[in-house]
Amino acid sequence: MEIVDLNKWGIKNDDLPLGIVGPCSAETEEQMMATAKDLVHKNVHVFRAGVWKPRTKPGTFEGVGEPGLKWLCKVRDTYGMKVGTEVATDEHVRLALKYDIDVLWVGARTTVNPFAVQELADALKKYGGLDKPVLVKNPINPDLDLWIGALERFSAVGVTKLGAIHRGFSTYEKIQYRNVPKWQIPIEFMRRLPNVPMVCDPSHIGGKRDLIYDLSQTALNLEFDGLMIESHEKPDEAWSDASQQVVPARAIEITEELELRKAKAENSATINKLDALRKQIDELDHRLIAILAQRMDVAKEIGQVKKDSNVAVLQASRWDELVGDRTEKAIAQGLSEEFTTRFLTAIHQESINNQDKLMHSSK
Ligand code: PEP
Ligand code: MN
C-alpha cells in the first residue's frame, strides 16, 4: 500500500491528530445543525454522522437515509467542516458520492464480509470515487488478516487514501468495555502497514461516555493518528448509542486536554535516555533468547533419555509442579499470573514439539 500523508487527503492541514466528531446517527436537520454549530473547533476536522445504521436487532432506528446526506452538506456549507458517513452497499456509495461526502467509512459489521467489502470497492471505482478517503473499521471479530484484507480490496481497485479505525472487538464476556480493545491488534496492524493512518474510536470501544478520555489518551500514547468521537447535542435523547455520546463542549474539552506525544522525541536528553534504555532492552532480549535456546537443548536431552528408556513425552504431574513453582516466583517478582502462564505454556509446547520430533526420528 502506498505511503499516505494525512495532510494530503484534503481534509486537514496541521500537525494535530485527525479529529472526526459528530453524532452516531443523523436524526433531524435541527439536531445535526445544533450539534455541528458547537463542534466548530480546530481539533475537529470532520463532522461524522451515520445516515444508514447497521443495527444488531431489527425494529430499532435504522437511519434516515438520503435526507441525512443533505444535512451533512448543509453542515459543510454552513460551518466549513468536512463531513463523513458510513457506507455499506453499492447504493450507499453511489449516493454518498452524489453528495460529494468528504470521508467514507466502512463499519465493523461490513468489514467482516469480503463480499460486501468487494461490492464497496467496485462501487467506488464504478461511480468515480477512487479519490475519496476511505477508513476501514476493524471487523467485529479479532481477525487482523480480515481487516488488512479489506484494505487490500480497496487498494486493488485503486483507492489511495486508505486509513483504519480501531473500534474494539465484540465479546460474549461481561467486561468493562462494550468492545474489548485488544490493543495488540492495531499495534500489529501499524507494524505491518506503517503508512496507513490509524484512528481510534473510543466511543464504540468504551460504550460509556466516561471511558472516552482514557481510551483516547491510550491511543495517542500508542501513536494513533486520530480519534473518532461520538457527540450529540442531547446525548441521553440520542436515537442510537445514547450512553456513549458526549455533548459537543465535552468532546472538544477531551481533545484539548489530551496530551499529544511527539512521534519523535525532539530534545536530545530524551533521545539519549531512550537510546540507553533501548540498548538495555536489546541486551536483555539477546540474553533471553540465548537462555531459551539453552533450555530447549536441555529439554531435547531429556527427550533423548525418555526415548532410550521408553518413557512418555508428557508427564503431567511434573508439569503442574513446575508451573506452580515458577508462577509463584514470577508473581513475587512483579509479573502477572496471566502472562507467566502464557509464557510457560508456550515454552512447554515448544519442548513437547521437540521431544515428539525426537521420538519419531530414527536416532
Ligand atoms: C458507528 O460508527 O456509529 C458504527 C455503527 O460503528 P461500528 O461499525 O464500529 O459499530
Ligand atoms: Mn454509534
Side-chain angles (χ1 to χ4, degrees):
M1 243 160 266
E2 279 177 49
I3 297 188
V4 209
D5 173 358
L6 258 179
N7 282 351
K8 296 203 176 119
W9 284 18
I11 54 175
K12 82 187 251 304
N13 195 9
D14 55 32
D15 292 333
L16 299 167
L18 173 64
I20 306 174
V21 190
C24 178
S25 304
E27 299 166 2
T28 64
E29 186 174 327
E30 296 67 43
Q31 165 248 8
M32 292 277 276
M33 296 309 285
T35 307
K37 175 171 166 280
D38 291 341
L39 282 174
V40 177
H41 187 274
K42 69 176 183 6
N43 292 351
V44 181
H45 304 94
V46 178
F47 178 84
R48 66 147 281 161
V51 308
W52 298 285
K53 300 304 298 177
R55 307 311 300 278
T56 304
K57 287 183 192 259
T60 39
F61 175 60
E62 291 191 330
V64 296
E66 192 169 348
L69 298 174
K70 294 190 180 138
W71 307 335
L72 280 171
C73 292
K74 188 163 178 192
V75 165
R76 176 172 55 198
D77 294 346
T78 312
Y79 298 113
M81 306 158 161
K82 302 291 176 185
V83 291
T85 200
E86 172 176 347
V87 287
T89 66
D90 174 288
E91 181 63 1
H92 296 168
V93 172
R94 188 183 71 78
L95 286 167
L97 293 176
K98 178 177 150 196
Y99 288 89
D100 198 22
I101 300 303
D102 305 288
V103 178
L104 309 180
W105 81 82
V106 179
R109 292 162 192 78
T110 307
T111 310
V112 290
N113 182 347
F115 292 126
V117 172
Q118 193 60 49
E119 177 180 320
L120 295 178
D122 294 341
L124 281 162
K125 188 166 182 184
K126 179 164 69 173
Y127 303 121
L130 295 180
D131 210 31
K132 283 285 169 197
V134 175
L135 303 174
V136 181
K137 286 199 170 196
N138 65 256
I140 47 182
N141 52 324
D143 185 337
L144 179 59
D145 285 328
L146 188 60
W147 191 5
I148 291 179
L151 278 104
E152 286 171 350
R153 286 179 194 277
F154 288 106
S155 181
V157 298
V159 176
T160 53
K161 296 167 183 160
L162 274 171
I165 302 176
H166 168 232
R167 50 78 77 198
F169 304 90
S170 183
T171 167
Y172 191 60
E173 280 130 62
K174 273 245 150 306
I175 50 162
Q176 178 193 14
Y177 302 115
R178 177 175 176 195
N179 293 294
V180 235
K182 292 193 184 282
W183 294 103
Q184 73 277 16
I185 293 183
I187 288 170
E188 178 59 14
F189 183 115
M190 292 188 268
R191 199 185 63 78
R192 282 174 45 186
L193 297 177
N195 300 322
V196 174
M198 176 67 73
V199 170
C200 180
D201 174 346
S203 307
H204 286 87
I205 295 176
K208 290 191 257 324
R209 56 183 75 108
D210 292 350
L211 298 174
I212 295 175
Y213 179 82
D214 283 350
L215 285 164
S216 302
Q217 188 64 65
T218 302
L220 294 184
N221 295 349
L222 295 171
E223 297 185 356
F224 276 53
D225 302 282
L227 297 168
M228 175 185 261
I229 297 175
E230 285 191 339
S231 175
H232 189 290
E233 49 143 2
K234 292 184 189 123
D236 288 327
E237 292 170 25
W239 298 359
S240 60
D241 290 350
S243 56
Q244 69 191 36
Q245 303 204 55
V246 287
V247 291
R250 176 60 190 149
I252 285 168
E253 189 178 60
I254 289 173
T255 66
E256 284 179 326
E257 284 177 0
L258 288 166
E259 198 179 324
L260 303 183
R261 314 236 174 226
K262 304 233 168 40
K264 303 252 177 314
E266 273 163 9
N267 146 338
S268 69
T270 314
I271 294 177
N272 292 342
K273 207 164 161 185
L274 277 177
D275 268 355
L277 289 169
R278 285 182 177 142
K279 283 206 181 83
Q280 272 187 51
I281 291 280
D282 290 347
E283 170 63 20
L284 287 166
D285 282 350
H286 296 156
R287 275 161 58 192
L288 196 59
I289 289 167
I291 288 177
L292 285 170
Q294 231 178 324
R295 190 191 191 282
M296 216 48 76
D297 286 342
V298 176
K300 282 182 200 154
E301 272 187 58
I302 294 180
Q304 190 62 48
V305 175
K306 285 180 183 167
K307 182 178 181 181
D308 294 345
S309 47
N310 215 9
V311 176
V313 167
L314 179 70
Q315 286 168 318
S317 59
R318 154 82 184 145
W319 176 242
D320 284 347
E321 232 173 82
L322 184 151
V323 172
D325 172 72
R326 308 300 191 263
T327 309
E328 200 177 304
K329 292 197 166 73
I331 291 173
Q333 295 193 50
L335 297 172
S336 79
E337 183 170 352
E338 197 222 338
F339 166 71
T340 310
T341 311
R342 275 204 280 158
F343 182 64
L344 290 173
T345 307
I347 294 176
H348 189 222
Q349 190 57 52
E350 182 73 4
S351 298
I352 290 179
N353 293 349
N354 277 312
Q355 294 190 358
D356 194 47
K357 232 189 270 164
L358 205 79
M359 287 288 177
H360 291 98
S361 77
S362 51
K363 267 194 266 165

